[in-house]
Amino acid sequence: MDQRLIISVALTGGGTSKEANSAVPITPEEIAADAVACCKAGAAVAHIHCRDKQGRATMDAGVFQEVVTMVKNALQEERLDMIINLTTSGGPATDEERLLHLKSLQPDMCSYDVGTFNWGNMFVFENSPKFLKMLGECVVQNNVKPEMEIFDGGMIGNADYYIKKGYITGNPHYQFILGVSGGLDGTVENLVFLKNKLPQNATWSCSGIGKCHMPMLLASIAMGANGVRVGLEDNIYYSKGELATNEMLVSRAVRIAKECGRTVATAEDTREILGLRKKGI
Ligand code: ZN
């Protein structure tokens, strides 16, 4: 087993407001500052969503350009290295608009949500076959590593389909996101079920949403995950009633990983483990 653990931080997400937790980074400056702080604390990957001036989720490629440029400059100033993973599901947009930022920015990684479901009984989290085909062609053409976000059991079969189609090249990488109502609950039983369905050459990571954040982090590390995801997109609390910051969540994951005998993967380790393209290419 690879002892290195990749810590991803989902900094902002699309829905969490400043009213819920004032530490949620919204502006490009805030997102860049949090990326730097989390990288220093041990996160190797920044999973990024963008917001408009009103704080609403947006897929505007111009805003992504501004945010990613600011994040990269801030990291460079501190001589830090971090993998950039951009969402493809952040806010209302056409299928075409969901891909524009991948084409213009060619990030190291992007989310690839392999299916559709009723998110929290509030809205349809729509990832149609047409969109997934377009996204598959886009990641291959732009050499972006897709991270297949798995919210429900059936999505594993969809992932198999897109691997077979040639849209997921190299070793497939999965991010289990458990505990969203409408998808699978964050339980050890569900995590074991999903992990056992992965192809032999898969790498995987997990995040529990809300109250299952810690149980899923602990179970993932115990099960030998390649990575864990933490961050205010997924969970705004450090403990019951105590609000978190992104840095606090990363620091805790680092401490737990070390206590469990894992080493914390650097960005360079992460490129090797996930088969990402080399730095600067
Ligand atoms: Zn996300």
Side-chain angles (χ1 to χ4, degrees):
M1 190 189 101
D2 197 325
Q3 293 299 322
R4 297 171 296 179
L5 185 77
I6 301 164
I7 298 176
S8 295
V9 59
L11 295 167
T12 299
T16 315
S17 66
K18 285 267 191 204
E19 286 72 41
N21 183 336
S22 61
V24 177
I26 301 286
T27 65
E29 290 81 3
E30 288 172 343
I31 293 171
D34 255 23
V36 165
C38 290
C39 185
K40 283 182 179 170
V45 180
H47 170 68
I48 293 175
H49 287 239
C50 290
R51 305 289 185 94
D52 64 15
K53 297 258 183 288
Q54 284 72 43
R56 295 172 304 207
T58 180
M59 286 307 296
D60 185 316
V63 180
F64 272 90
Q65 172 94 45
E66 193 185 348
V67 168
V68 171
T69 303
M70 210 168 275
V71 168
K72 284 189 169 175
N73 287 345
L75 290 166
Q76 210 166 14
E77 259 174 46
E78 304 261 359
R79 296 179 176 275
L80 296 168
D81 189 11
M82 200 175 197
I83 305 296
I84 304 292
N85 173 345
L86 300 183
T87 185
T88 55
S89 304
T94 64
D95 289 346
E96 287 76 14
E97 285 164 350
R98 291 172 70 177
L99 307 179
L100 288 177
H101 63 319
L102 301 184
K103 294 174 182 172
S104 58
L105 295 167
Q106 301 180 316
D108 304 292
M109 300 176 75
C110 71
S111 59
Y112 193 114
D113 297 301
V114 254
T116 296
F117 71 102
N118 289 351
W119 185 293
N121 299 306
M122 291 182 292
F123 60 90
V124 179
F125 183 57
E126 192 178 335
N127 298 285
S128 70
K130 174 175 160 269
F131 172 67
L132 292 174
K133 182 172 183 292
M134 288 167 65
L135 177 56
E137 288 166 353
C138 183
V139 295
V140 169
Q141 277 163 16
N142 291 280
N143 198 11
V144 179
K145 173 87 181 192
E147 176 173 81
M148 289 187 283
E149 295 187 334
I150 303 291
F151 293 84
D152 206 353
M155 292 184 182
I156 298 277
N158 291 354
D160 292 341
Y161 174 83
Y162 290 103
I163 292 168
K164 234 180 247 157
K165 283 278 170 192
Y167 296 137
I168 313 296
T169 56
N171 295 339
H173 178 59
Y174 297 78
Q175 182 76 260
F176 300 131
I177 301 181
L178 302 182
V180 178
S181 164
L184 279 174
D185 287 338
T187 65
V188 172
E189 189 184 19
N190 285 340
L191 189 56
V192 170
F193 166 75
L194 290 173
K195 195 215 162 219
N196 287 341
K197 289 195 165 305
L198 297 184
Q200 281 291 319
N201 61 343
T203 51
W204 67 281
S205 175
C206 177
S207 180
I209 302 298
K211 65 181 188 320
C212 65
H213 200 64
M214 275 301 278
M216 289 300 94
L217 181 103
L218 296 169
S220 304
I221 292 173
M223 286 166 61
N226 299 97
V228 291
R229 180 170 116 173
V230 298
L232 296 177
E233 171 173 353
D234 298 343
N235 165 44
I236 60 169
Y237 291 103
Y238 191 78
S239 59
K240 194 170 166 56
E242 184 193 356
L243 291 169
T245 65
N246 280 313
E247 189 184 357
M248 285 164 71
L249 296 172
V250 170
S251 297
R252 178 168 64 184
V254 167
R255 282 196 302 275
I256 292 170
K258 288 181 177 168
E259 287 287 340
C260 296
R262 302 289 298 264
T263 56
V264 175
T266 62
E268 200 49 43
D269 291 329
T270 303
R271 287 187 187 94
E272 188 194 319
I273 297 164
L274 301 184
L276 308 182
R277 63 174 194 262
K278 291 196 168 39
K279 191 173 188 286
I281 294 176

